């Protein structure tokens, strides 16, 4: 081999080695070294809200695990949409993360014609963390609904008198309304919808017999155990661990019914896959700590989904809620 050819091949080998080294360094910067500075969790709801509580539990866990601070930033307004639009515009580096609920991600796109973010284009799903069932409650003193032996018997009463019985929701387009609209359709009944500003006033309306039933959240459990409210069924695919004797709606005679209010993490679209995986893995390790696990279980059913599984969940729910909203002709625009 002549000297010119040897110099040429040596130069190519050197360039290749430099390229590989640069690629390795880039990969380490994208995933291996993450996180190397504080992370901001953006929450679209006020401090003390269940979404905020989950965010703070996970934030403390990641801080303890990595030594990097995770700061919770409550950016409230527009049913979580202000926070979502903030994160959608953030740098895709894994240091700004949306902690959101299902309504903001899978319901709002069908309720609003104009939004400042596009879920499919603007976000990279990271992890679903907990899911919370709704509890169909009635007042046991409110006859005849209150003494119906089971959910099917209750809905048979409603079927016999279309529009005579009512249900309260936490607001127009809220998941509590969508849950009832889905159930009404599956059972072939028509109940009158009364919208309230949140689950708390809807619960009060059931207690005062202003409406016949509602889909309540787990805050109703103490009143259920005290006998002030009666739980007919839960909306999730599995029973709620706080009410193990209460059947799911699917078990009560309506197979396939499965609606839960979840809390999940999403990063801006374009965030490197190694960073998304690292963050997802860090979240998943929360269930390995008994104390952290116990705190999360107080907020809902543990449901740690990896990025691809979470993306599938979002896609399926978005289609499901779009169909319910279309059939019920619900719009907030």
């Amino acid at each position: 081999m002549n000297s010119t050819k040897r110099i040429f091949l040596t130069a190519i080998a050197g360039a290749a080695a430099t390229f590989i080294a640069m690629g390795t360094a880039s990969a380490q910067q994208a995933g291996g070294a993450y996180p190397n500075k504080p992370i901001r969790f953006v929450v679209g709801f006020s401090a003390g809200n269940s979404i905020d509580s989950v965010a703070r539990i996970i934030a403390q866990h990641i801080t303890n695990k990595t030594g990097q601070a995770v700061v919770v930033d409550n950016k409230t307004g527009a049913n979580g949409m202000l926070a979502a639009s903030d994160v959608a515009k953030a740098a895709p580096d894994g240091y700004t993360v949306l902690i959101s609920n299902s309504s903001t991600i899978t319901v709002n796109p069908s309720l609003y014609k104009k939004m400042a973010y596009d879920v499919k284009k603007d976000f990279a799903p990271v992890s679903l963390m907990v899911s919370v069932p709704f509890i169909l409650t009635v007042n046991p003193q409110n006859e005849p609904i209150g003494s119906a032996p089971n959910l099917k018997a209750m809905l048979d009463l409603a079927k016999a008198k279309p529009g005579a019985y009512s249900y309260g929701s936490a607001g127009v387009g809220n998941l509590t309304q969508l849950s009832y609209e889905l159930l009404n359709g599956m059972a072939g009944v028509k109940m009158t919808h009364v919208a309230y500003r949140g689950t708390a006033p809807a619960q009060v309306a059931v207690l005062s017999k202003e409406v016949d039933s509602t889909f309540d959240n787990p805050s109703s459990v103490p009143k259920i155990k005290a006998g002030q409210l009666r739980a007919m069924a839960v909306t999730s695919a599995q029973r709620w661990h706080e009410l193990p004797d209460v059947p799911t709606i699917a078990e009560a005679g309506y197979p396939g019914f499965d609606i839960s209010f979840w809390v999940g993490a999403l990063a801006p679209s374009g965030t490197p896959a190694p960073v998304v995986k690292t963050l997802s893995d860090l979240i998943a390790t929360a269930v390995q700590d008994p104390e952290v696990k116990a705190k999360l279980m107080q907020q809902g059913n543990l449901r740690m989904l990896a990025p691809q599984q979470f993306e599938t969940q979002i896609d399926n729910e978005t289609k499901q809620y779009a169909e319910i909203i279309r059939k019920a002709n619900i719009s907030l625009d």
Side-chain angles (χ1 to χ4, degrees), residues 43-56 74 101 261 263 299:
V43 180
F45 302 88
S46 58
N49 179 282
S50 60
I51 302 155
D52 171 79
S53 297
V54 171
R56 291 180 187 277
N74 298 95
N101 64 356
F261 172 91
V263 181
Q299 303 300 322

Side-chain angles (χ1 to χ4, degrees), residues 186-211:
M186 293 178 77
V189 305
K190 177 64 177 175
M191 296 182 74
T192 299
H193 174 223
V194 182
Y196 295 90
R197 291 189 172 185
T199 52
Q203 182 187 105
V204 171
V206 172
L207 289 167
S208 65
K209 304 181 185 179
E210 188 174 300
V211 293

Side-chain angles (χ1 to χ4, degrees), residues 97-119:
V97 180
L98 177 67
I99 306 299
S100 183
N101 64 356
S102 42
S103 293
T104 303
I105 300 301
T106 61
V107 177
N108 285 355
S110 295
L111 286 178
Y112 298 92
K113 293 184 175 121
K114 294 181 181 178
M115 293 200 311
Y117 61 91
D118 183 305
V119 174

